[in-house]
């Protein structure tokens, strides 16, 4: 099992300001095909999780351009260029290289 | 649009069995691998099981291996999770999730399973 660790676990942000979440994997998520198998999900209050980013940096359909993912190997980052009120929720990274797929503990983003 | 609707959750005693169902629509169900993921307040999100598009390959989390079985009926666009020998730590919201080649691209609304005497 690949352990993934997120930080911070709580993230208060002023609207319009940037935000950044880190995800570290205990093992490299780089596949021989050159892709990093790391996803980001957002669970808004009262909703199911939704896919934000796949393969470390590919925004899912409909995801606003203010969201971006980066990183390779064991270190990954989700960045929000300018936080909006609708971005509140819990952000999870997930290692998708092999089963069992594993999630980070979650980062709760709240508006200051 | 993709719709995944879970059902079958409820309160069940430890040691008993329960089967969850997921009705899928809005996509070519028979072409996609499908997953179950569960969520508890204490342990967050936990991947439970996956079944290939043609039901020939499956994989399970160690925590459920030997007790849970994932299955599907492509003629009915349905996914199932048969849960045996349930334990209190199986208490969770269970999500039916559509897999893409690299991620979980659609989630159902979830169904709550409570294992308690």
């Amino acid at each position: 099992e690949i352990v993934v660790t997120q930080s911070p676990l709580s993230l208060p942000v002023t609207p319009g300001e940037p935000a950044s979440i880190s995800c570290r994997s205990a093992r490299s998520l780089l596949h021989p095909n050159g892709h990093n198998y790391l996803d980001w999900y957002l669970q808004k209050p009262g909703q199911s999780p939704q896919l934000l980013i796949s393969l470390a940096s590919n925004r899912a359909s409909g995801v606003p351009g203010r969201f971006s993912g980066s990183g390779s190997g064991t270190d990954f980052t989700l960045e929000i260029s300018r936080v909006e009120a609708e971005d509140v929720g819990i952000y999870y990274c997930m290692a998708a290289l092999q089963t069992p797929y594993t999630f980070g503990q979650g980062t709760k983003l709240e508006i200051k | 649009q993709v719709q995944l609707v879970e059902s079958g959750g409820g309160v069940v005693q430890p040691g008993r069995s329960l089967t969850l169902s997921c009705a899928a629509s809005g996509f070519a169900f028979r072409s996609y691998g499908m997953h179950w993921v569960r969520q508890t307040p204490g342990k967050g999100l936990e991947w439970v099981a996956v079944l290939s598009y043609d039901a020939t390959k499956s994989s399970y989390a160690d925590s459920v291996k030997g007790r849970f079985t994932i299955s599907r009926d492509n003629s009915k666009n349905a996914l199932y999770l048969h849960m045996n020998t349930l334990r209190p730590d199986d208490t969770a919201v269970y999500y039916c999730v559509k897999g893409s080649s690299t991620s979980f691209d659609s989630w159902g609304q979830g169904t709550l399973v409570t294992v308690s005497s």
Side-chain angles (χ1 to χ4, degrees), chain A residues 9 16 43 47 51 73 94 105:
Chain A
L9 299 186
Q43 186 171 29
Q47 296 185 18
L51 177 65
M94 186 189 83
Q105 315 96 301

Side-chain angles (χ1 to χ4, degrees), chain A residues 41-78:
Chain A
Y41 297 87
L42 166 60
Q43 186 171 29
K44 294 184 177 181
Q47 296 185 18
S48 306
Q50 61 187 85
L51 177 65
L52 287 178
I53 303 280
S54 65
L55 295 177
S57 61
N58 295 345
R59 265 193 312 275
S61 175
V63 174
R66 63 181 180 276
F67 290 92
S68 63
S70 63
S72 183
T74 60
D75 290 314
F76 301 89
T77 303
L78 175 70

Side-chain angles (χ1 to χ4, degrees), chain B residues 26 34 37 39-40 52 56 74 77 79 97 116:
Chain B
M34 296 294 295
V37 175
Q39 183 170 34
T40 63
S52 62
T56 59
N74 284 346
N77 287 355
L79 180 73
V97 183
S116 174

Side-chain angles (χ1 to χ4, degrees), chain B:
Chain B
Q1 73 282 17
V2 173
Q3 273 205 306
L4 300 166
V5 180
E6 302 93 337
S7 61
V11 180
V12 59
Q13 292 180 328
R16 304 298 288 263
S17 300
L18 197 66
T19 295
L20 305 182
S21 300
C22 171
S25 61
F27 67 103
F29 179 76
R30 65 180 66 241
S31 298
Y32 290 89
M34 296 294 295
H35 304 256
W36 288 98
V37 175
R38 66 187 182 183
Q39 183 170 34
T40 63
K43 291 182 68 176
L45 290 167
E46 180 186 17
W47 172 82
V48 172
V50 60
L51 185 60
S52 62
Y53 70 99
D54 58 1
T56 59
K57 298 175 190 172
S58 62
S59 182
Y60 297 89
D62 285 347
S63 59
V64 307
K65 202 172 293 182
R67 299 187 300 122
F68 290 12
T69 302
I70 188 172
S71 65
R72 64 192 296 161
D73 185 338
N74 284 346
S75 69
K76 295 181 179 179
N77 287 355
L79 180 73
Y80 305 100
L81 186 66
H82 311 277
M83 305 184 292
N84 295 324
T85 319
L86 282 161
R87 310 187 302 219
D89 63 357
D90 294 318
T91 295
V93 174
Y94 286 75
Y95 294 102
C96 169
V97 183
K98 172 180 172 284
S100 69
S101 56
T102 61
S103 56
F104 300 163
D105 62 12
S106 296
W107 298 60
Q109 86 288 348
T111 188
L112 176 62
V113 173
T114 302
V115 184
S116 174
S117 53

Side-chain angles (χ1 to χ4, degrees), chain A residues 3-57:
Chain A
V3 176
V4 288
T5 304
Q6 289 181 233
S7 63
L9 299 186
S10 178
L11 185 57
V13 184
T14 300
E17 293 297 304
S20 178
I21 301 171
S22 171
C23 180
R24 285 196 168 165
S25 173
R27 273 191 271 151
S28 175
L29 299 180
L30 180 61
H31 190 276
N33 64 14
H35 293 295
N36 285 279
Y37 281 67
L38 188 283
D39 300 336
W40 290 96
Y41 297 87
L42 166 60
Q43 186 171 29
K44 294 184 177 181
Q47 296 185 18
S48 306
Q50 61 187 85
L51 177 65
L52 287 178
I53 303 280
S54 65
L55 295 177
S57 61

